[in-house]
Structures are given as structure tokens and as C-alpha cells.
Amino acid sequence: MSSPATAPPAPSNLKRIVAASLIGTTIEWYDFFLYGSAAALVFNKLFFPESDPLVGTLLSFLTYAVGFAARPLGALVFGHYGDRVGRKKLLVLSLLLMGGATFAIGLLPTHATIGSAAPVLLTVLRLVQGFALGGEWGGAVLLVSEHGDARRRGFWASWPQTGAPAGQLLATGVLSALTALLSDAAFTSWGWRIPFLLSGVLVIVGLWIRLSVDESPVFKAALAQAEQRKATTDQVERMPLVAVLRHHWRDVLIAMGARMAENISYYVITAFILVYATTSAGLSKQTALNAVLIASAVHFAVIPFWGALSDRIGRRPVYLIGAVGVGAWMFPFFALIDAKSFGSLLLAVTVGLVLHGAMYAPQAAFFSEMFATRMRYSGASIGAQFSSVAAGAPAPLIATALLADYGSSTPIALYVIAAALLTVVAIACARETRDRDLASVEAGPQGEDSNRDTRESSAADAPASA
């Protein structure tokens, strides 16, 4: 019989929680991706006009990468307080910070108006975005994972993951519509501000929905147990960060390695592609945006499928399908873009994102199942966000620099393949987590945990019973 903490919630309540996480993450990713698309399309002209076009794009992507640098700090701060006071309060704060920074970018004067202060202010606002997103992801996926039915955790927890393609879809869709309706001069002059200002409306909707959900029952039960232990034994809990590094250091390293191929491939496929398709392949900005738009819709649709498959065959096999698939697809990916047709570009991006979804979908449940409840927000966030500094942050920058130096896509393909190999090694070192109970997992010595799956426990007990 399930304990109260792990009993499946009412379907209507679970769907409301999933909707709250999905809408919130969609808004936050919309804000984050909007910057990336604008960095590739107009920020080089508006904030770095004294550079030649490719150098301006590099500088624009550099401010884009700064947002990733702030994500580990967000993971530490939000993870600490999320493990102390709860998931819900921190998710509300992250949404306010992200939405406020994005809205402010829409009001920001350009280099032509205030000179070098413009890129400085842009960088500061990008730092705020990164800080907020560093705390958003862990809380959103944990809120669903800790509410959800353990038997279908991979499926339910994959829905907040669809917030990434949904945000990409929304950001790219708005930009695509504006570039189609406005002339290049109008879009560069004022049209680019509209998607950023739209964030203010989206945040109001997201807050209304997020404030309506309950705190995670698994977290509330763990908090009550911790308070009871403190009252009876006068034992003070370690800081979540210290506890994670002591008991779950191995899992943090695995999570970081698992993120390399997922993170790098995504930003090459969705952000760098806007540069490569419009410069090397000679396709129009509108064509590239439309391809990413359609492919993001497919990406959104396949993520729950991959999440459900991870409930049937395990997190590791599905993740490996994605890592191996993305690595194998890189040379065909660039060859299709070089064919210089919309159909081949669409095929390249769509297949790439479908394979990426095989890594991204099980990631929420996989990382949640690695860590004990009172350090889960910290552990999942640190593992996910610290890797982004070495993975997603420099990916468009490195890809653009490789293109500038070699004038070829081959070094870029090899770069993604190397990341895929690193992820395969990390997943090979991981344990399968599908059968773990989030309510009972507790930290143990040497990075182990007390909740193994049934087969491991039976194997360990057999010699003693003999």
C-alpha cells in the first residue's frame, strides 16, 4: 500500500499542477530564448554597431552566454531556499525576476542613444534572466515529480520539459510574425521590442496560475520529519549544498555529464542555426525562423512520448537513444542545411530536435530520482545548471567562432559529437532510477542512497539469507 506521501494525487489536481509548471516554464523559456533569437538577428546591429557583422554576432552571443554564467548562482540560491522553505514560493520569485528583466530589455535604449552603456545594461539584465532560470527548472520539475504518480513519473515530469520547446515556439513565432509583417528597417527600429514587452502580460498569467497550486506533499512530509528530528534530538540539518556534495557528489557529476550533449546540441540546432543558415547557406532570416518554428512544434509533441517510454524501459535507455542519435545526426544535419532548401533545412532541424527530446524528456524524472528530498532541489539544480556554463553557454559562441576560423561545418559537427560521447559515458556510469520512491529515498554514505530498486535489494540480501 502506498504511503500518504506517495499516494497518487487526484487526476484533476495533478493536471492543474502540471499545467502550472508547464505554463510557468513556457514563459520563462520564452523570455530566455527570445534573447537568443534577438542576439542572432538584431542585437549585433543595435548594441554592437561598430563591429563587423560576424564579430558583432560573436559579441551578441557573448552577452547571451553571460545568462548561462548566472544560472549556477541561481541554482545555489534557489536550491538552498527551495529545500528549506518549499518549491512553490521560489517558483513565484523566479517568474517575477525573469519577466521583469525581459520587460526591461524591451524598454532598453540602444547604442545609438546612450552609447556603451547600452550593452552594459543589456548584460546586467541578461544576468538577471540567467539567475532566475537557474532556479526555475529544478523547482518546476520537482513540483510535478513529487506530486505525481510514481508509476508514470517519467510521463508527467516530462510536461514541464515541454516548456522549453513551447517557449522556443512562442518566441520564434512572435519574431517570425513580426519579421513577416514589418520591413527590416521597422523591425530593427522598434519591432524587436514588442516580444520583450509582451512578457509583462505573460508573467501576470503565469503568476495567477502558479499561486493556485499546493506545495509538494513529499517536501511537506520531509520537512515535518526534519522538524521532528530536530525537536527530539536537537540535531541541526546540514546546508543542502553541503549535504549534496557529501552524499550525492557522484550523482551531481553524472547529471553534469548527461547535460553536455543535450545542452550543446539544443543551442546549436536552435540558436546557431539562425547564423549558419543565413550566412553560410544563404537562406533568408524568415526561412530559418520558420524551420525552427515548425520543428519546435514537433519537439513539443514528442517529449511526452519519450517520457512515457522512459516509464516502460527506463530512463537510461531512452537517454542513450538521444545521445547516440544526436551525435550520429550532426554530419547529415549540416549536409541538409547546405542543400539550401526549406525542406532540407526543416528535416535537419526536426530530426535533431526529436533526438534531443529523447534526452530532455526523461531528464526531469531521472535527476529528481537521484537525490534525497531535503537536498533534491539543490542537487537537481546544481547538476543541471553548473553544466550549462560549459555546455549551452558557449555553444553558439564556439560554433560561430569555428565557422569564422574554418569556414566549414565539420569542426562544429565534431564538437557536438564529442559532447555526445561524454554524455554516453556519464549515462553508462549512472544507475537506473525508474523504480525509486521519492518519499523514501534518504541520503547515505559515500554518495549512495538507501532506496535501491527491488532487483538491487534482492541481490544484496540473497547472500545473507543463504
Side-chain angles (χ1 to χ4, degrees):
M1 184 178 295
S2 298
S3 65
T6 59
S12 59
N13 187 46
L14 179 56
K15 289 176 182 177
R16 187 173 72 251
I17 292 159
V18 170
S21 290
L22 170 57
I23 291 172
T25 53
T26 297
I27 293 168
E28 297 229 20
W29 282 113
Y30 165 81
D31 292 346
F32 203 75
F33 288 142
L34 182 60
Y35 189 104
S37 297
L41 298 173
V42 296
F43 280 178
N44 58 332
K45 303 170 187 175
L46 296 172
F47 294 94
F48 308 98
E50 297 174 357
S51 305
D52 67 65
L54 196 55
V55 174
T57 301
L58 280 168
L59 292 172
S60 185
F61 274 142
L62 187 59
T63 63
Y64 175 70
V66 163
F68 287 82
R71 284 166 68 170
L73 180 59
L76 290 174
V77 174
F78 279 81
H80 173 83
Y81 288 103
D83 283 328
R84 292 286 182 169
V85 303
R87 292 37 170 142
K88 176 181 171 178
K89 294 176 182 176
L90 275 297
L91 285 175
V92 170
L93 178 60
S94 71
L95 190 59
L96 284 171
L97 286 173
M98 176 67 88
T102 305
F103 188 82
I105 291 174
L107 300 174
L108 195 63
T110 64
H111 188 280
T113 304
I114 60 172
S116 59
V120 172
L121 291 173
L122 182 68
T123 302
V124 170
L125 291 172
R126 182 60 176 172
L127 284 168
V128 175
Q129 280 191 324
F131 179 78
L133 192 63
E136 158 71 21
W137 181 85
V141 300
L142 292 187
L143 198 64
V144 175
S145 295
E146 293 179 343
H147 268 97
D149 176 4
R151 188 173 54 87
R152 303 184 68 196
R153 184 181 299 127
F155 171 74
W156 290 116
S158 71
W159 279 100
Q161 299 291 77
T162 64
Q168 178 77 67
L169 187 64
L170 188 58
T172 307
V174 172
L175 284 171
S176 181
L178 288 171
T179 54
L181 294 172
L182 301 175
S183 65
D184 285 345
F187 181 77
T188 303
S189 175
W190 56 269
W192 68 273
R193 297 182 183 275
I194 294 175
F196 289 91
L197 297 175
L198 180 62
S199 178
V201 178
L202 298 176
V203 167
I204 293 172
V205 176
L207 284 175
W208 175 69
I209 295 172
R210 279 203 166 165
L211 289 170
S212 69
V213 302
D214 296 326
E215 181 56 81
S216 155
V218 172
F219 173 78
K220 288 192 288 188
L223 180 61
Q225 291 171 5
E227 291 175 346
Q228 184 178 11
R229 282 196 299 267
K230 183 178 179 180
T232 55
T233 65
D234 201 28
Q235 180 181 359
V236 178
E237 278 191 304
R238 290 188 180 90
M239 289 178 59
L241 173 61
V242 175
V244 165
L245 295 180
R246 179 176 181 183
H247 298 296
H248 287 285
W249 58 268
R250 182 177 181 272
D251 295 317
V252 168
L253 292 177
I254 288 172
M256 291 175 68
R259 284 274 283 169
M260 297 303 290
E262 179 268 307
N263 220 216
I264 289 172
S265 66
Y266 188 79
Y267 290 105
V268 167
I269 293 169
T270 61
F272 171 71
I273 192 65
L274 298 178
V275 176
Y276 187 81
T278 56
T279 56
S280 293
L283 296 168
S284 71
K285 178 170 57 180
Q286 187 65 47
T287 299
L289 283 170
N290 287 342
V292 174
L293 184 69
I294 296 170
S296 294
V298 177
H299 193 211
F300 178 92
V302 300
I303 285 177
F305 163 77
W306 288 121
L309 185 63
S310 78
D311 287 325
R312 296 179 63 85
I313 67 174
R315 319 297 184 213
R316 294 172 70 247
V318 175
Y319 215 113
L320 285 170
I321 289 171
V324 173
V326 161
W329 184 243
M330 276 302 102
F331 280 111
F333 172 79
F334 284 108
L336 284 167
I337 299 172
D338 290 335
K340 301 182 180 181
S341 72
F342 175 73
S344 61
L345 174 64
L346 178 61
L347 178 63
V349 179
T350 301
V351 173
L353 288 182
V354 168
L355 292 169
H356 171 270
M359 292 182 283
Y360 199 56
Q363 192 177 95
F366 191 30
F367 289 7
S368 298
E369 291 158 349
M370 288 182 180
F371 302 97
T373 301
R374 291 288 282 159
M375 60 188 82
R376 185 170 293 135
Y377 201 143
S378 295
S381 296
I382 290 169
Q385 303 306 332
F386 270 68
S387 59
S388 68
V389 177
L397 189 66
I398 290 173
T400 304
L402 289 172
L403 180 63
D405 288 345
Y406 295 95
S408 167
S409 62
T410 299
I412 305 166
L414 292 174
Y415 167 52
V416 179
I417 290 169
L421 290 173
L422 183 58
T423 292
V424 168
V425 172
I427 299 302
C429 295
R431 299 188 187 91
E432 180 55 61
T433 62
R434 178 184 54 169
D435 297 324
R436 293 185 177 179
D437 182 354
L438 295 186
S440 65
V441 63
E442 294 290 343
Q446 287 82 48
E448 305 292 336
D449 63 69
S450 64
N451 187 27
R452 307 285 185 88
D453 67 43
T454 307
R455 291 183 298 277
E456 287 180 347
S457 298
S458 299
D461 291 342
S465 60

